[in-house]
Structures are given as C-alpha cells and as structure tokens.
C-alpha cells in the first residue's frame, strides 16, 4: 500500500470520525437541564420537528451539541448575506485559501455568539427547564458553547483532512439518524395502508428526481488549441452541473423560517409580535392556508429558496475564473471570443441554469410536504428537503471518493461509474 492509498483511507476515516463525534454530541445531555420538557414541544410542531432532525435530536434534548448545527447554519447565512450586501466582503472570501480560512474564523465567531445569545435567553426566560439555581446555570451555557465550537471546527476541518462538505455531511448524518424513526412513528404506526402507499410512491419519485438533479449537467463545447495542457478534459467540454447551488439554499431558507418557532419554544411566548410572525412561518398551515399570512409565508419561503439558489450558483460556478483559465490554456468556445465575451457567455448560461435549478429544487422540496399535509400527517415536515440533503451528500461523497480511487488506479464496484 503506497502513500496515496493511506492518505485516502485516512481521509475516509477522518470524515467518518467527524460525523460520529457530531452525532455523539447530539445525544449527551448538558448538566442540570430537564430535557424531557422540550420533547413534546418539538414533536408537536412540524417546523421544530424538522429543525430537531437537522440537529440530530440535540435541540429537543438540549444536548451539548444542541445549538452547534443551527448556529453553524445561521452563521453561514449571515456571511452569505453579508457577501450579497457588501461585494467587497465576497471579494475577500473568494481570495483562495487565505480568504477561506479567514471566513471560517468569522463563521466560528458568529456561531459562538449565536449560541451564547440563545443560551442566555433560555437561562433568563426558560427557568422551568433548569434543575439548577444561581450561578450554577452557567454550566449548561459553557457546555453549549463548547459543543458549538467542536461541531463547527469539525465541519470546517473536513475540507482539509477529510472528504466532502463537512456541514452537509453532518446534516445528512443527523437526518439519516432521525428520519427512519420519524417515519415509523408518524406514518407507519398511525396512517392507513392507502396513505402509506401514496406517500411511499411520492417519496420514491422524489428520490429519483433528486438523484437526477444532482447527477445532471449541461455541456459547453470548447476547442482545445493546446490539448495536452487543457484544464478542462479530453472530451472538449465544460460540464456545468444542473444543480449548481446544491442543497444550501433549502437549508438556509428552512433555518430562517424556523427562527420564530424556536424563540417561542424556548421563551414560552406565542402572543404579540412573535405570535403574528408565526402566522407566516408555521409550515403546517402553508398547504392548507386559513389566513392570508399563511399564504404569504409560503411565498416568502419559496422566494428565499429561489434567491439563495441564484446567489449560490455564483459561488459554485465562477464565470470570470473559468474564462481566465481558458484563456491561459488556449481553450475557446466556438463562435465566442476569448476574454470578456467568453465570461459573459458563461455567466449567461449560469444564470439560466441557476433559475432552472432553483425551480426544480423548489418542486422536489415542496411536493412531499404537500402530500404529507393533505394526508393530515402532523409533526413531520420538510421531507423533500431532507431527501435532497441526503441525496446531495451521498452523491457528492461518491464523486469525491470515485475521483480519489481513479487517481490511485483502484477499482471498487460500489463506486463504479454508471
């Protein structure tokens, strides 16, 4: 076994270790908290049920890693929005390895700040959750902060020492650990066989479409004037993925609309301004709206997914970078001049694909939820989103491992190209 083989094995084991530690932290309760009080609250509210699934059940248990995943997602949203509002921030972020490491630190700081804020709110407003008094209430706060630091740092470290996207893998592992149980509890044990068959067919169709979305791409033909050094490929194409934005837009949009329900659960308040906002963000009413706020909230959610998808496509497919690399290597698109015209051409293709990708993601995400709502299955939401996250994480991991194995001239049947 050579060094490259050992390196690949180390990356696989490190990625598995990151996922395992994150799952363990989601099941270790902090000291002095009555975690059983929140279990019923999270199981009865569809929005909170999904948020709890993303956290691997750590939110409903107020575990050590309880706020690690949600704070990490929120921190990513803040950084993404800052890049939209202030273009200079995005310029610094795209500054190679230096920019990535700087923004990793910024995301960690923001995530810790969010966890600290939420834990202080619980300490002040959620005294009925505690078995502790006085300064002893600081113990759970410290544990939550440690859990957040560990989870965020582990997720960020996957890019350097593991395989895949750490944030997506942790989310996928959390979903995989909870979804089967939730399906059995809320569907198999409570629904008639006809409803189970209908939902099974819809979920199967969703999985198929999610796989097709992740694996599909559009080819932009190029002429390789200096083929031996071309950075594209031997086939003379630039493969542009249909799913340009992956699953992050869904994660971000879902996290934003779940904030009011989270605040309500931890403060015990459902009236006033917070109660009015929850009319917009209560997902269980989106598909059976009783007020105009329910319909507007659903429209806002779709708009958020769409905007995040279009924006994320700029991060995953940089037309200026590709145009510059093509010019350096002598690659040209037939009928398109090198340089600025090539950049405009590629960016136009990106915009069109990002819109198509956003529409497809929205359809796949809301179809299972629509069926679930019509079948009156309560407390179980964002099934489409969960499936897309799982499929995206598996497909991305499969591609990366396949690439590594091809590099080392290894062939394993599990990862063979179809």
């Amino acid at each position: 076994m050579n060094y490259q083989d050992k390196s690949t094995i180390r990356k696989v084991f490190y990625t598995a270790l990151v996922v395992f530690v994150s799952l363990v932290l989601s099941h270790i309760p902090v000291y002095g908290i009555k975690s059983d009080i929140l279990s019923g609250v999270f199981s009865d509210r569809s929005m909170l049920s999904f948020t709890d699934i993303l956290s691997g059940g750590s939110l409903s248990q107020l575990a050590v890693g309880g706020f690690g995943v949600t704070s990490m997602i929120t921190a990513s949203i803040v950084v993404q929005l800052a890049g939209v509002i202030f273009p200079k921030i995005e310029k610094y972020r795209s500054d190679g390895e230096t920019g990535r490491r700087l923004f990793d630190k910024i995301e960690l700081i923001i995530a810790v700040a969010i966890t600290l804020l939420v834990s202080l709110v619980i300490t002040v407003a959620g005294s009925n959750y505690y078995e502790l008094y006085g300064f002893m209430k600081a113990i759970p706060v410290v544990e939550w902060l440690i859990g957040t630091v560990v989870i965020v740092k582990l997720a960020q470290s996957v890019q350097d020492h593991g395989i895949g996207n750490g944030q997506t893998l942790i989310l996928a592992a959390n979903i995989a650990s909870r979804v089967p149980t939730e399906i059995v509890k809320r569907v198999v044990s409570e629904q008639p066989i006809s409803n189970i068959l209908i939902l099974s067919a819809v979920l199967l169709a969703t999985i198929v479409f999610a796989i097709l979305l992740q694996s599909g791409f559009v080819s932009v033909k190029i002429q390789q004037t200096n083929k031996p050094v071309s950075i594209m490929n031997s086939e003379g194409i630039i493969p542009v993925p249909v799913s340009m934005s992956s699953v992050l837009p869904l994660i971000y949009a879902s996290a934003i609309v779940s904030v009011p329900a989270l605040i309500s659960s931890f403060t015990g308040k459902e009236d006033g301004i917070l109660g009015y906002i929850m009319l917009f963000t209560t997902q269980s009413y989106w598909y059976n709206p009783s007020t105009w706020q329910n319909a507007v909230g659903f429209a806002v959610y779709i708009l958020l997914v769409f905007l995040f998808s279009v924006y994320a496509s700029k991060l995953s497919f940089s037309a200026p970078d590709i145009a510059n690399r093509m010019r350096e290597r002598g690659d040209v698109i037939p009928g398109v001049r090198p340089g600025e015209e090539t950049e405009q051409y590629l960016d136009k293709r990106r915009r069109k694909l990002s819109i198509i990708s956003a529409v497809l993601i929205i359809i796949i995400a809301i179809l299972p939820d629509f069926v679930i709502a019509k079948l009156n299955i309560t407390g179980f939401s964002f099934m489409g989103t969960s499936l897309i996250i799982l499929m995206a994480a598996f497909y991305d991991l499969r591609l990366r491992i396949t690439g590594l194995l091809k590099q080392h001239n290894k062939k394993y049947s599990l990862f063979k190209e179809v």
Side-chain angles (χ1 to χ4, degrees):
M1 182 179 293
N2 58 35
Y3 173 77
Q4 290 180 328
D5 293 331
K6 292 179 180 179
S7 175
T8 301
I9 293 174
R10 281 199 297 267
K11 288 183 178 182
V12 171
F13 275 103
Y14 184 84
T15 304
L17 179 63
V18 167
V19 171
F20 175 75
V21 172
S22 300
L23 289 175
V24 169
L25 289 177
S26 68
H27 291 86
I28 301 177
V30 295
Y31 174 73
I33 289 288
K34 303 174 184 177
S35 59
D36 57 317
I37 295 179
L38 276 180
S39 298
V41 175
F42 276 80
S43 62
D44 293 336
R45 302 186 186 184
S46 59
M47 188 71 68
L48 293 181
S49 176
F50 173 73
T51 308
D52 194 38
I53 288 175
L54 287 183
S55 69
S58 59
L59 269 178
S60 61
Q61 301 177 44
L62 288 180
V64 172
F67 304 108
V69 172
T70 53
S71 295
M72 178 172 60
I73 294 172
T74 308
S76 297
I77 294 173
V78 171
V79 173
Q80 296 274 6
L81 292 178
V84 174
I85 299 172
F86 305 104
K88 286 187 176 180
I89 292 179
E90 189 55 44
K91 183 178 179 181
Y92 288 131
R93 188 182 182 187
S94 59
D95 186 21
E97 188 68 14
T98 303
R100 181 181 72 84
R101 293 191 181 279
L102 172 62
F103 277 85
D104 280 351
K105 293 178 181 178
I106 294 174
E107 286 187 3
L108 175 61
I109 293 171
I110 295 174
V112 170
I114 292 170
T115 297
L116 178 60
L117 177 62
V118 173
S119 59
L120 290 177
V121 169
I122 295 175
T123 303
V124 174
S127 57
N128 57 319
Y129 301 144
Y130 284 85
E131 297 175 342
L132 304 173
Y133 301 95
F135 72 92
M136 293 293 288
K137 288 184 177 181
I139 295 176
V141 175
V142 173
E143 291 182 88
W144 286 325
L145 290 174
I146 293 174
T148 297
V149 171
V150 172
I151 288 177
V152 174
K153 291 293 290 183
L154 285 176
Q156 293 175 348
S157 69
V158 170
Q159 185 162 342
D160 294 322
H161 308 293
I163 300 175
N165 182 294
Q167 185 180 113
T168 303
L169 286 174
I170 290 175
L171 289 174
N174 290 341
I175 291 171
S177 69
R178 291 293 306 280
V179 165
T181 303
E182 293 292 322
I183 290 178
V184 171
K185 181 172 66 175
R186 303 184 187 281
V187 180
V188 177
S189 62
E190 298 178 359
Q191 298 296 314
I193 187 65
S194 58
N195 287 357
I196 295 175
L197 292 175
I198 293 172
L199 185 57
S200 298
V202 171
L203 294 182
L204 179 60
T206 302
I207 291 173
V208 172
F209 282 121
I211 293 174
L212 293 175
L213 179 63
Q214 295 299 321
S215 59
F217 66 90
V218 175
S219 300
V220 177
K221 292 184 178 180
I222 61 173
Q223 291 179 347
Q224 300 166 299
T225 59
N226 191 9
K227 207 165 187 177
V229 298
S230 173
I231 58 170
M232 299 306 165
N233 51 56
S234 59
E235 299 172 358
I237 62 170
I238 304 174
V240 184
V242 176
S243 180
M244 303 185 71
S245 57
S246 188
V247 298
L248 291 182
L250 286 171
I251 297 171
Y252 292 168
S254 303
I256 289 174
V257 298
S258 67
V259 169
L262 281 172
I263 295 174
S264 172
S265 66
F266 290 132
T267 60
K269 297 181 180 179
E270 296 185 2
D271 53 1
I273 297 178
L274 182 61
Y276 184 74
I277 295 175
M278 288 182 65
L279 291 175
F280 293 89
T281 60
T282 302
Q283 188 265 355
S284 56
Y285 297 137
W286 285 350
Y287 304 100
N288 297 298
S290 57
T291 66
W292 66 269
Q293 290 97 332
N294 303 147
V296 171
F298 185 41
V300 169
Y301 171 72
I302 292 177
L303 180 62
L304 285 174
V305 174
F306 183 85
L307 293 178
F308 277 127
S309 296
V310 173
Y311 173 70
S313 69
K314 295 179 65 176
L315 302 180
S316 61
F317 186 86
S318 175
D321 289 347
I322 294 177
N324 288 334
R325 291 161 63 194
M326 288 178 62
R327 183 171 53 186
E328 291 172 358
R329 299 302 181 105
D331 296 331
V332 296
I333 298 174
V336 181
R337 294 180 180 177
E340 185 176 349
E341 190 172 325
T342 297
E343 180 182 330
Q344 293 174 352
Y345 176 86
L346 291 173
D347 198 52
K348 184 178 179 180
R349 297 295 294 268
R350 177 197 63 79
R351 289 196 300 269
K352 289 182 178 180
L353 269 179
S354 68
I355 293 174
I356 295 172
S357 174
V359 172
L360 292 175
I361 286 175
I362 290 170
I363 292 173
I364 294 174
I366 68 175
L367 179 60
D369 298 332
F370 176 80
V371 174
I372 286 172
K374 293 304 179 181
L375 295 177
N376 294 318
I377 301 175
T378 59
F380 193 54
S381 64
F382 293 104
M383 189 65 225
T385 301
S386 301
L387 291 176
I388 293 177
I389 293 173
L390 285 173
M391 293 302 102
F394 174 79
Y395 188 78
D396 178 68
L397 194 61
R398 174 184 177 274
L399 286 180
R400 292 173 187 267
I401 295 179
T402 301
L404 287 172
L405 294 177
K406 282 185 175 180
Q407 276 185 347
H408 309 331
N409 296 317
K410 299 291 183 180
K411 295 185 180 296
Y412 296 99
S413 59
L414 178 62
F415 300 107
K416 283 183 179 178
E417 294 289 346
V418 294

